[in-house]
Amino acid sequence: MTAKDPALTALASGWAALSLLHGRIDSHIERALQSRHDLSVREYSLLEVLSRQHDGDGGHLQMKQVADAVVLSQSATTRLVTRLEDRGLLARYLCPTDRRGIYTNVSEAGLALLAEARPTHDAALREALDQAEQHPELARLVETVRALDGPADQR
């Protein structure tokens, strides 16, 4: 493939559209969460990921798994955990079976904030998708994202 190859050009155009859609959605959700709940998208994502942990086998995530889930480096994830812990939204404790392991759980205050912020997040996501759908270069991507949620009659 060369730089003028139509397949490569189409692939690059698709990637640019996907990147644009992600940026628009991320920015829209960020503004909504910041203004109403003093949360960033990353903070919301971290609370969401950690809220799904459980005490059964494989129920707690290692920091690398958390970092992968919120698409941050391990050091950035650790700093994010520390910030939310300082706000009382997370708590760390030692693994009961391996004293070297440290778990991070969402506190009651964190769960309450997450429950309060979830409708804002979801509404902002829907708004961002509705706005993006008005742009021809993004409409097919929006349709694909919505299809991931299942048939329209089940939404």
Side-chain angles (χ1 to χ4, degrees):
M1 279 195 225
T2 65
K4 296 193 188 250
D5 185 326
L8 185 58
T9 302
L11 184 62
S13 294
W15 172 246
L18 181 60
S19 182
L20 177 62
L21 178 62
H22 176 268
R24 285 176 181 235
I25 291 170
D26 200 56
S27 295
H28 193 81
I29 294 172
E30 180 80 27
R31 286 189 301 274
L33 288 173
Q34 280 289 350
S35 68
R36 294 181 189 115
H37 308 285
D38 194 29
L39 275 177
S40 71
V41 169
R42 297 281 190 224
E43 290 167 338
Y44 177 89
S45 295
L46 180 64
L47 290 172
E48 181 67 39
V49 165
L50 292 176
S51 74
R52 288 187 254 126
Q53 295 184 119
H54 56 84
D55 288 331
D57 289 341
H60 281 88
L61 301 172
Q62 298 173 349
M63 196 56 73
K64 169 141 182 34
Q65 294 169 302
V66 173
D68 289 346
V70 295
V71 194
L72 290 172
S73 68
Q74 280 188 260
S75 61
T77 302
T78 299
R79 288 190 300 273
L80 184 58
V81 165
T82 299
R83 277 198 316 271
L84 292 179
E85 185 179 35
D86 290 347
R87 289 175 59 186
L89 303 175
L90 298 177
R92 296 184 218 204
Y93 66 95
L94 291 176
C95 170
T97 58
D98 180 358
R99 303 302 278 177
R100 296 171 295 172
I102 298 175
Y103 289 153
T104 304
N105 274 344
V106 182
S107 68
E108 290 301 319
L111 290 171
L113 181 58
L114 181 60
E116 180 184 309
R118 189 172 283 121
T120 300
H121 174 276
D122 294 350
L125 174 57
R126 279 190 297 278
E127 290 167 5
L129 288 170
D130 289 346
Q131 290 170 9
E133 193 171 38
Q134 303 309 308
H135 298 273
E137 73 276 16
L138 301 177
R140 283 185 38 216
L141 284 172
V142 171
E143 182 182 321
T144 301
V145 169
R146 287 192 168 134
L148 296 172
D149 190 32
D153 61 340
Q154 293 180 359
R155 284 186 230 144

